[in-house]
Amino acid sequence: MSGVSGRGEGGHPVYLKMNQITEVQSPDVFLKDVAEVFCPDPALQNKCRSLKIKTIHETKETRFVEDTMEVIQKISQLDSKAQVSNLGEIDFIIDYLPPKPPRHLWQWTKAAAVCIIAFCGAAFAIMTFNNDVDVPALFKELYRLIMGYEPEGVTILELSYSAGLSLGILIFFNHFAKWQLTKDPTPLEVEMRTYEDEICRTLIQNKGRKEKEVDVT
């Protein structure tokens, strides 16, 4: 997807690579904050990078959907002979997060709550699965078939199953504290990026809708 503006003889090409979404904390947003800029002319490149594309007047967290064509127009006004090529997004999102004083206690409280909810949910799912397929009875029958007598108390089957379940979760999620088996993103990171992409696409599509009625789709 590319846009070209300001074609003129003797002009310098300007290449833009717009990011899909960029988090900013300053109300003054410059082109260098939301895009990679390259130009053979260093002076023009610095001017483009320092070009202010938006001033945010909101005082709370807000997301803005912007049009790359407006950025190209601003560059053309900056230098009428600039030949602008967009190699990135046509529409991009500015995620404005105004600076706030650190609230470490609240952050740790939220993290602890999420951990407790995730732990209880996972434990409940595992227990319901074990009860549904009757894993204790299965282990008891396997033990009797192999050893020839009924088990008494906890056996090696339950211990190995518990250890294997924990190890399998760590290997699947490929993450424990700062330790990773491979450099590949974890399944949780993939899901979070997929969710973020869906949000960005929805915001951009909602901006393009011109209907005045409520969209129930």
Side-chain angles (χ1 to χ4, degrees), residues 2-17:
S2 63
V4 180
S5 172
R7 294 187 179 277
E9 297 182 359
H12 292 287
V14 178
Y15 299 97
L16 299 179
K17 186 178 179 182

Side-chain angles (χ1 to χ4, degrees), residues 19 31 75 78 94 116 133 139 153 156 161 163 165 216:
N19 301 324
L31 183 56
I75 296 177
L78 185 68
I94 298 175
I116 293 174
V133 300
F139 285 164
I156 187 64
Y161 175 75
L165 183 63
V216 296

Side-chain angles (χ1 to χ4, degrees), residues 37-50:
V37 184
F38 172 76
C39 178
D41 183 358
L44 180 57
Q45 175 173 307
N46 291 333
K47 289 169 62 178
C48 291
R49 285 173 51 84
S50 302

Side-chain angles (χ1 to χ4, degrees), residues 51-76:
L51 177 64
K52 184 187 293 186
I53 62 173
K54 189 178 185 64
T55 299
I56 300 174
H57 301 286
E58 299 285 343
T59 58
K60 59 181 181 180
E61 297 182 5
T62 314
R63 283 180 172 175
F64 303 92
V65 180
E66 302 295 327
D67 190 346
T68 303
M69 288 298 297
E70 297 179 0
V71 176
I72 295 176
Q73 292 174 3
K74 291 180 181 293
I75 296 177
S76 298

Side-chain angles (χ1 to χ4, degrees), residues 113-183:
V114 171
C115 291
I116 293 174
I117 293 173
F119 176 81
C120 294
F124 180 77
I126 293 173
M127 288 187 294
T128 53
F129 169 78
N130 290 338
N131 288 332
D132 185 49
V133 300
D134 202 0
V135 172
L138 176 62
F139 285 164
K140 182 177 181 180
E141 182 65 18
L142 288 174
Y143 191 91
R144 187 187 64 80
L145 291 175
I146 296 174
M147 303 301 295
Y149 56 88
E150 296 289 338
E152 296 181 1
V154 179
T155 67
I156 187 64
L157 292 177
E158 286 83 1
L159 295 176
S160 60
Y161 175 75
S162 301
L165 183 63
S166 303
L167 184 62
I169 292 174
L170 292 178
I171 294 176
F172 175 77
F173 283 100
N174 187 31
H175 187 79
F176 182 76
K178 296 182 179 180
W179 173 73
Q180 286 183 287
L181 291 176
T182 67
K183 298 299 182 181

